[in-house]
Amino acid sequence: MGSHEMNVSHPTGGWNILHRNDSCGGPLELTVDGQLVISGFNNSFDGVGNDGMDVKKSHVYHKSGVAVFEGEGVLPSGPESGVWTSCRYSGNIARVTADFTVKKETVVKEGIECGSMTLHGKWTSVTVVPNFVKTDLSDGQVLHYEELPLAWIFEREDGFKFEIDTGFDLWRWQHSMDMGGATVDVSVFADHVDFKRHLLVVTDGGEEGVQPPTRDYRFCSQLAWSTPTLYAKEADMPELTHLEILPKGKGIDVKALSEKPAVSVDFSKLTAVDSMHVTHDGALQEALCWECNNTKLGAKRIIRQLAAKYAEGFLLIEGGMTPSVCDNGKHVDRPGKTVPHWDLNGITAFAAWARRCLGDGWKVVVKQPKPWDALPSLQGLFAENGFEIAQEQAEEDME
């Protein structure tokens, strides 16, 4: 297979993602406003990464307003263990899924990585979520994370931010390859940062190595970056009419709205049964979990009502879209179990769906409390997805 570049460029966001058809993993490069931000997003077995695997699939297509990369590769020798990767691009966000297949007699002598990358430029600080502890960075510094935070927010000397999120599937990262949880090393240099996310580190396997349990492993994550041109601001909104959410999941009353409505709603007021709430150790919290299907269904009804009647308008979401950690296993298809997850991915996926449903004629702003308002992923909610063309035409364009 010859090398062929596949570029994903947002029409108004100023960013470009590079993939190649001879590489089966995540983005090879991300540039924003012409400046290289990351390179070499890599999944690897013992140092054999995206470029070293036998590529079975590597292509880009558009679906539902989102640009999608899919790649699949297997190790060039020995058992056909490998990785399938999907990256979904919209607004200023990449939602990434990596499926690792470990075949029988797969021996690992060095380790397995998932979502390692290089951040280019001079990065001056990193803030970890949920505690929002900020650490100043300097050349030669090495940070080790034995337990993964929910997110890292790296800030460059010019104020640009790059966000790396652990996925909604916290329980998977905590168990990793069933041989200890995932870990991260951040090595700081004068002109770049190396981010290494390890699913397995082999320290005492000797010459024989270790054999991870034979099965398939899935890990989700997310990337987001500063894109101010895509952000909508509350200050640009006209005078708004607050709409109360109707009981029993009936959405909102849109009958009396003007031709181009300017309205506000509060998603925290969605009609909710106990099973929709965030739980910690069985105790119900006030927030609703966005990994719960019923939460998304209630919010989708409101968006559909607005989209069905009005081609354009202004919408302020006053609350209810701040991420939370929850352990109700029912939300992630494990009813009756305590399964830790967090719902940022659910929020960003819903916002991408809602933008496509509403169309380009709606301006949408989401209020976020401090310090959550500093996350690029939350700043860009409901931004223009950027890839609103028919799937068939998109696939033709990528050939």
Side-chain angles (χ1 to χ4, degrees), residues 296-308:
K296 288 179 276 193
L297 287 173
K300 282 184 174 183
R301 181 178 183 118
I302 293 171
I303 296 298
R304 287 192 177 106
Q305 287 175 304
L306 292 172

Side-chain angles (χ1 to χ4, degrees), residues 350-391:
F350 168 81
W353 170 88
R355 169 48 64 196
R356 177 172 171 78
C357 184
L358 289 168
D360 295 335
W362 279 83
K363 176 175 287 187
V364 185
V365 174
V366 182
K367 277 189 173 181
Q368 293 290 352
K370 293 183 179 300
W372 292 98
D373 60 348
L375 272 66
S377 60
L378 297 178
Q379 292 172 331
L381 288 179
F382 293 86
E384 176 189 355
N385 287 332
F387 306 99
E388 299 286 350
I389 61 176
Q391 181 179 356

Side-chain angles (χ1 to χ4, degrees), residues 266-277:
D266 186 347
F267 281 159
S268 69
K269 305 301 182 182
L270 288 168
T271 301
V273 295
D274 287 353
S275 63
M276 294 166 60
H277 285 268

Side-chain angles (χ1 to χ4, degrees), residues 243 246 252-259 305-306 309-310:
L243 297 179
L246 301 174
I252 53 177
D253 186 354
V254 297
K255 296 189 184 85
L257 297 181
S258 62
E259 184 176 340
Q305 287 175 304
L306 292 172
K309 192 169 182 180
Y310 307 101

Side-chain angles (χ1 to χ4, degrees), residues 20-174:
R20 287 197 319 268
N21 66 348
D22 62 350
S23 182
C24 59
L28 298 173
E29 291 183 358
L30 163 67
T31 58
V32 180
D33 295 332
Q35 187 169 349
L36 182 63
V37 177
I38 67 165
S39 68
F41 186 97
N42 200 34
N43 302 317
S44 67
F45 284 84
D46 274 355
V48 179
N50 307 327
D51 296 340
M53 293 189 182
D54 286 342
V55 178
K56 302 297 184 183
K57 177 192 295 183
S58 182
H59 69 142
V60 172
Y61 59 95
H62 292 193
K63 184 177 182 180
S64 301
V66 174
V68 184
F69 166 82
E70 285 189 44
E72 183 179 2
V74 297
L75 293 174
S77 61
E80 285 199 337
S81 295
V83 187
W84 173 89
T85 304
S86 169
C87 304
R88 303 179 65 84
Y89 301 109
S90 58
N92 64 330
I93 289 171
R95 289 174 280 142
V96 184
T97 302
D99 288 353
F100 286 75
T101 297
V102 178
K103 298 290 188 180
K104 188 177 180 181
E105 298 181 355
T106 298
V107 176
V108 178
K109 296 184 178 181
E110 298 175 27
I112 299 175
E113 296 180 24
C114 178
S116 295
M117 69 196 86
T118 297
L119 283 64
H120 295 268
K122 183 175 177 58
W123 300 88
T124 56
S125 70
V126 61
T127 300
V128 294
V129 178
N131 296 326
F132 290 91
V133 175
K134 183 177 180 180
T135 301
D136 292 333
L137 300 178
S138 57
D139 186 14
Q141 192 174 7
V142 178
L143 304 176
H144 177 72
Y145 299 88
E146 193 67 28
E147 296 182 2
L148 303 192
L150 300 179
W152 296 261
I153 305 162
F154 291 89
E155 185 167 354
R156 209 168 54 194
E157 60 179 346
D158 60 357
F160 179 90
K161 293 180 180 179
F162 185 74
E163 175 184 342
I164 304 174
D165 301 312
T166 305
F168 79 96
D169 49 346
L170 299 181
W171 77 95
R172 292 179 180 143
W173 292 101
Q174 290 171 0

